[in-house]
Amino acid sequence: MEQKKKTQTSGVKLTEGQTFPLTIKRLGINGEGVGYFKKQVVFVKGALPGEEVVVEATKVEPRFSEGKIKKIRKQSPFRVKAPCPIYEQCGGCQLQHLAYEQQLKEKRDIVIQSLERHTKFNINKLDIRETIGMEDPWNYRNKSQFQVGLQNSKIIAGLYGLNSHRLIPIENCMVQHPATNKVTEEVKKILQKFNISVYDERKRKGIVRTIVTRVGFESGEVQVVLITARKEIPNKDLVIEEIKKRLPEVKSIVQNVNGNKTSLIFGEETIHLEGEEVIQETLGDVSFELSARAFFQLNPLQTVKLYDEVKKAAALTGKEKVVDAYCGVGTIGLWLAKGASELRGMDTIKEAIEDANKNAQKHGLKNAKYVTGTAEHWLPKWIKEGWRPDVIVVDPPRTGCDRNLLDAVRKAKPKKFVYVSCNPSTLAKDLEYLSKEFKVEYVQPVDMFPHTAHVEVVTSLELKISK
């Protein structure tokens, strides 16, 4: 018989299947409850700070354990009933069972925990502000990427369940804009009508892998992207005609081919099928053209608040040279361009840069220029040519800033560095790395994804004056 895993901390043994009492101290970065059993850290999905629970150990590792709730002895006053019927199965949201106002407080605490863990800063002396939330924290996502599969010979679309490869069908996601829900449902029916096969990962057969929909909150325009395993789609013209007939709000139909064995949604080849190549979106008084693969913030309402915080942190007077690194379609840069003397941005995705330059042109911004490539390539080159930025803004992926980029920033020595982060852990590590040259002025959390454990942060840094 296989021996059950045990872990030892100060002579304490914890065994898989064992039940034990636990007081939850805080939320972890994935939204799980965190408690300590005889100094051993235990993560418990669904448990909330302040709760006293009976836990069953489900996974035991040398440095931590995971458990599930068997019983809640003392319930948090902030625990609420999750309104979504598939909340427990889906795993797309992690905090629907926590009152929204309290979610905002816990997200600030997640930022504090990351800074405590990864930096030597005196947290009590840091200006860490209250999290900026939403007035109505539902139906905020402008884009859905639902995998397709078969269930009882019917096409379903949804997300894989938490820690499983079981596809959970989602017909009405409560955090998605209603238009993305409606369009995905109709496209699914159209694929069924014309017998378009869905991709089977195990057999590596079938055609459609994913239905991606994106809506412009202001324009109401919708783009549909069919991610397929191969280029040929049988009855393609009939599918396109049916989408146009049933869904007049769909202004752009695109195909993306991804035949690789990968968890990445998009492949390299994108084919424009019908309608416009882009859809329109407006943030504040800035409008954008969005192509299928262009990165754009998923919560437009909060994006306005986020970018206003970036503008505040940059504190431009009209004289500054600004760099927008990881610029995507130029969203942050366009928000700042009017207050800058010159703005330069870069990104490694060629289509995003094309969109960024088009967007700048459309707004008559002659002082904005976007180039393809990395900041670590362009910054030293520009400095060598005698062009030195006063302000650098970064909005990197979850992995944080590339170390070469941070080195380039340290050498460039801008007066201000504004760091927009979607991952407090990598933010904290990067801030620690920059701390010799830069002083953290303040940290502003923003809730871009209500009911999930994600928190976005705008950090304002200033160059330390050498003595």
Side-chain angles (χ1 to χ4, degrees):
M1 202 173 121
E2 191 190 342
Q3 200 179 359
K4 287 187 173 180
K5 267 195 203 171
K6 292 182 179 178
T7 187
Q8 293 190 326
T9 309
S10 320
V12 175
K13 294 179 183 179
L14 195 58
T15 314
E16 279 180 17
Q18 181 181 338
T19 58
F20 53 95
L22 196 69
T23 299
I24 304 301
K25 299 292 184 190
R26 59 176 202 266
L27 276 191
I29 55 168
N30 299 310
E32 69 283 72
V34 180
Y36 295 88
F37 178 71
K38 316 272 189 185
K39 297 184 182 172
Q40 162 94 33
V41 65
V42 184
F43 299 106
V44 186
K45 183 182 171 284
L48 295 174
E51 291 190 329
E52 291 170 14
V53 291
V54 177
V55 173
E56 180 187 319
T58 54
K59 184 180 184 179
V60 175
E61 296 291 339
R63 298 180 67 129
F64 69 92
S65 293
E66 289 176 9
K68 63 179 181 186
I69 299 173
K70 295 297 282 181
K71 187 182 177 187
I72 301 176
R73 283 182 174 162
K74 181 188 167 195
Q75 187 170 292
S76 163
F78 305 109
R79 180 177 280 276
V80 294
K81 187 177 175 356
C84 174
I86 55 164
Y87 172 61
E88 298 289 336
Q89 301 161 272
C90 164
C93 297
Q94 302 84 43
L95 297 177
Q96 280 194 22
H97 63 296
L98 178 61
Y100 185 60
E101 285 309 310
Q102 195 60 23
Q103 287 181 31
L104 300 178
K105 291 189 171 111
E106 297 299 345
K107 289 188 182 195
R108 179 178 180 268
D109 186 60
I110 287 171
V111 175
I112 291 169
Q113 286 177 54
S114 296
L115 291 165
E116 284 173 341
R117 194 175 302 126
H118 301 296
T119 74
K120 297 185 185 77
F121 299 146
N122 180 341
I123 304 299
N124 297 325
K125 288 190 175 171
L126 276 186
D127 180 4
I128 303 166
R129 300 178 175 181
E130 297 300 322
T131 309
I132 296 170
M134 289 192 82
E135 286 73 32
D136 177 12
W138 300 100
N139 302 119
Y140 58 79
R141 286 181 69 103
N142 62 2
K143 184 182 184 183
S144 68
Q145 301 183 147
F146 284 174
Q147 313 301 319
V148 292
L150 281 180
Q151 197 177 73
N152 305 326
S153 308
K154 270 189 78 175
I155 293 178
I156 59 168
L159 299 173
Y160 290 115
L162 202 62
N163 304 324
S164 85
H165 214 65
R166 189 165 69 89
L167 192 61
I168 308 294
I170 301 171
E171 291 179 7
N172 181 28
C173 177
M174 296 180 72
V175 295
Q176 284 291 153
H177 187 288
T180 66
N181 286 324
K182 177 193 166 189
V183 169
T184 303
E185 276 299 291
E186 284 302 319
V187 170
K188 203 174 69 177
K189 289 174 190 166
I190 291 164
L191 295 176
Q192 184 92 39
K193 178 179 176 175
F194 293 108
N195 297 316
I196 310 298
S197 63
V198 302
Y199 183 68
D200 185 314
E201 254 182 6
R202 287 193 188 93
K203 297 177 184 166
R204 300 201 68 183
K205 283 182 178 170
I207 295 165
V208 181
R209 298 177 77 139
T210 311
I211 300 168
V212 179
T213 56
R214 174 146 66 183
V215 60
F217 267 46
E218 290 293 324
S219 66
E221 295 178 358
V222 179
Q223 182 176 62
V224 172
V225 186
L226 296 175
I227 312 280
T228 59
R230 61 169 199 257
K231 206 168 175 175
E232 302 72 36
I233 305 176
N235 294 327
K236 182 170 76 181
D237 293 341
L238 293 173
V239 169
I240 291 167
E241 281 311 307
E242 195 73 11
I243 290 174
K244 283 164 67 180
K245 192 170 88 183
R246 292 197 200 184
L247 297 162
E249 64 268 41
V250 173
K251 302 298 179 196
S252 171
I253 307 173
V254 177
Q255 178 189 2
N256 177 271
V257 184
N258 185 357
N260 301 328
K261 196 175 182 184
T262 173
S263 59
L264 294 173
I265 303 279
F266 280 84
E268 288 306 309
E269 189 181 8
T270 302
I271 304 154
H272 173 232
L273 297 180
E274 185 70 26
E276 303 295 327
E277 289 196 30
V278 295
I279 59 168
Q280 305 295 325
E281 179 58 301
T282 307
L283 295 178
D285 58 358
V286 184
S287 59
F288 299 93
E289 295 192 337
L290 306 177
S291 58
R293 288 193 63 198
F295 169 79
F296 192 72
Q297 292 281 3
L298 292 166
N299 183 338
L301 298 173
Q302 287 298 88
T303 299
V304 171
K305 294 181 189 175
L306 182 79
Y307 290 174
D308 278 345
E309 287 304 317
V310 174
K311 191 185 273 186
K312 220 182 277 180
L316 302 177
T317 64
K319 296 173 186 165
E320 292 81 5
K321 297 186 187 83
V322 179
V323 165
D324 176 12
Y326 303 98
C327 68
V329 297
T331 45
I332 289 180
L334 296 178
W335 210 255
L336 301 175
K338 283 178 185 167
S341 71
E342 191 182 347
L343 178 116
R344 295 184 182 185
M346 70 284 283
D347 201 290
T348 51
I349 296 174
K350 186 167 72 67
E351 296 98 320
I353 290 300
E354 285 167 9
D355 284 350
N357 278 314
K358 273 187 214 157
N359 287 330
Q361 218 174 348
K362 193 170 75 178
H363 289 90
L365 297 169
K366 294 188 169 66
N367 64 339
K369 165 184 153 185
Y370 293 95
V371 290
T372 308
T374 63
E376 50 270 31
H377 164 76
W378 285 104
L379 271 178
K381 189 176 185 298
W382 289 337
I383 289 167
K384 213 173 175 182
E385 291 166 0
W387 191 90
R388 186 178 288 274
D390 302 294
V391 179
I392 296 178
V393 179
V394 293
D395 185 6
R398 286 191 66 73
T399 46
C401 288
D402 187 286
R403 192 48 59 96
N404 293 329
L405 171 111
L406 293 178
D407 288 337
V409 169
R410 287 168 76 172
K411 279 183 189 149
K413 291 188 166 47
K415 293 186 200 99
K416 271 191 173 280
F417 182 60
V418 182
Y419 192 137
V420 184
S421 166
C422 58
N423 183 343
S425 298
T426 51
L427 167 69
K429 289 171 191 170
D430 290 351
L431 293 181
E432 179 66 23
Y433 190 67
L434 291 165
S435 60
K436 266 188 188 163
E437 287 82 7
F438 293 91
K439 172 186 180 288
V440 174
E441 203 188 1
Y442 65 84
V443 177
Q444 176 63 70
V446 181
D447 188 21
M448 298 292 285
F449 300 104
H451 314 296
T452 76
H454 294 294
V455 58
E456 206 99 356
V457 187
V458 176
T459 304
S460 175
L461 297 106
E462 285 188 338
L463 187 67
K464 287 179 179 174
I465 294 147
S466 355
K467 289 172 185 170

